[in-house]
Amino acid sequence: MIVIKTHEEIEKMAHACKIVAEVMEDLKAFVKPGITTKEIEMFAEEKIISKGGTPAFKGYRGYPASICTSVNNQVVHGIPSRVRLNGGDVLSIDLGVYRDGFYGDGAVTMPVGEVSLLAKKLLKVTEEALYKGIDKATPRNRVSDISSAIENYVEANGFSVVKAFVGHGIGMSLHEEPQIPNFGIAGQGPRLKEGMTLAIEPMVNTGGHEVSILDDGWTVVTIDGGLSAHFEHTIAITDGDARILTKI
Ligand code: MF3
Ligand code: CO
């Protein structure tokens, strides 16, 4: 069942999502070559709490940290560690906030120092793919209209979409129905309706789409070692264009 939220509920979600957006902006300024992903996590956790939120990922299905930090060929769910970032890395940060009964979820991939032309193109195409998907998130469209818009844009730019992980409904739970794949044929799946709240999150690889999970049980990596990027927004379906809740 896809939960429809009232205006009041969406305003509560908007507050959790605003914390996601603000902390993400703080993180963009904080990330530099030489810093560890653990230091980034500690900074983020402190900011989330000082803004009145709770880190949503900590303890979720046993996940051991407040945010996910995925570097280079890591796709998603990387665990913050003492490993230092180098100039030229790309860092994906995934951030979830719980506040007053509701969740917000967002992700950004950022360059660390100066990065390659390929990395710059990957970040640009992945973020643009997210917006291609959001453009389709209007009432009466179907879920797979989002999916196909993302896949088509990514593949037209010579990259591949990860198929093993998907976007999702979000609200009083971090993951709700429907699942939102980043691939597929348009015109399929549930019809979108005002009051639905969705987390759309393309994961895009420079090489093949295949991924595997490291022995830590969490970190998802590309099997061919290609770079990967991840952008995510939590949105609300309105009677017109989608409202992006995780944007300042
Ligand atoms: N944004 C990711 C998702 O929607 C967050 C993963 S939560 C984790 O799946 F705690 F499991 F890492
Ligand atoms: Co998500």
Side-chain angles (χ1 to χ4, degrees):
M1 187 198 55
I2 302 177
V3 183
I4 301 296
K5 282 80 178 179
T6 64
H7 289 291
E8 290 72 23
E9 289 170 333
I10 288 174
E11 289 316 313
K12 286 187 180 179
M13 277 188 75
H15 198 132
C17 290
K18 182 167 181 272
I19 297 173
V20 172
E22 288 177 356
V23 175
M24 210 56 107
E25 285 308 306
D26 293 341
L27 284 166
K28 284 180 193 167
F30 184 71
V31 168
K32 287 176 194 66
I35 204 167
T36 72
T37 49
K38 185 77 196 165
E39 287 165 346
I40 294 168
E41 184 209 5
M42 286 163 56
F43 177 85
E45 183 175 298
E46 201 272 318
K47 291 278 178 189
I48 292 167
I49 292 167
S50 74
K51 290 171 190 289
T54 306
F57 298 166
K58 200 168 202 169
Y60 179 81
R61 297 184 179 219
Y63 183 73
S66 288
I67 63 171
C68 304
T69 52
S70 309
V71 184
N72 294 335
N73 70 316
Q74 298 177 350
V75 179
V76 287
H77 303 168
I79 302 171
S81 74
R82 291 192 177 81
V83 173
R84 285 185 195 284
L85 295 174
N86 294 304
D89 288 343
V90 296
L91 171 68
S92 300
I93 296 182
D94 195 342
L95 188 74
V97 168
Y98 179 76
R99 187 189 170 277
D100 197 14
F102 290 88
Y103 287 90
D105 190 5
V108 170
T109 302
M110 54 190 84
V112 181
E114 192 58 34
V115 300
S116 69
L117 278 175
L118 179 68
K120 282 181 188 161
K121 183 183 173 192
L122 175 68
L123 270 45
K124 182 166 183 281
V125 167
T126 308
E127 185 170 25
E128 286 170 353
L130 169 59
Y131 285 99
K132 296 287 177 192
I134 292 173
D135 285 346
K136 298 288 181 187
T138 55
R140 291 172 297 281
N141 272 357
R142 291 184 187 269
V143 165
S144 83
D145 295 332
I146 298 171
S147 312
S148 87
I150 291 171
E151 181 179 30
N152 290 343
Y153 187 75
V154 168
E155 291 176 356
N157 281 284
F159 296 142
S160 62
V161 292
V162 172
K163 300 192 163 146
F165 295 87
V166 298
H168 50 93
I170 180 170
M172 295 179 73
S173 302
L174 179 60
H175 294 126
E176 297 183 352
E177 286 182 41
Q179 292 198 357
I180 308 172
N182 297 300
F183 61 95
I185 300 162
Q188 298 178 335
R191 225 176 259 284
L192 301 175
K193 212 177 144 206
E194 186 175 355
M196 290 180 179
T197 46
L198 309 174
I200 303 177
E201 50 179 319
M203 288 146 267
V204 175
N205 298 346
T206 56
H209 74 86
E210 299 89 351
V211 298
S212 61
I213 298 180
L214 297 184
D215 286 340
D216 63 21
W218 283 102
T219 311
V220 178
V221 296
T222 60
I223 62 162
D224 60 12
L227 291 179
S228 191
H230 179 211
F231 282 82
E232 176 177 24
H233 274 310
T234 296
I235 64 152
I237 308 290
T238 73
D239 58 359
D241 290 338
R243 176 175 170 199
I244 302 176
L245 301 176
T246 40
K247 202 170 185 176
I248 291 171

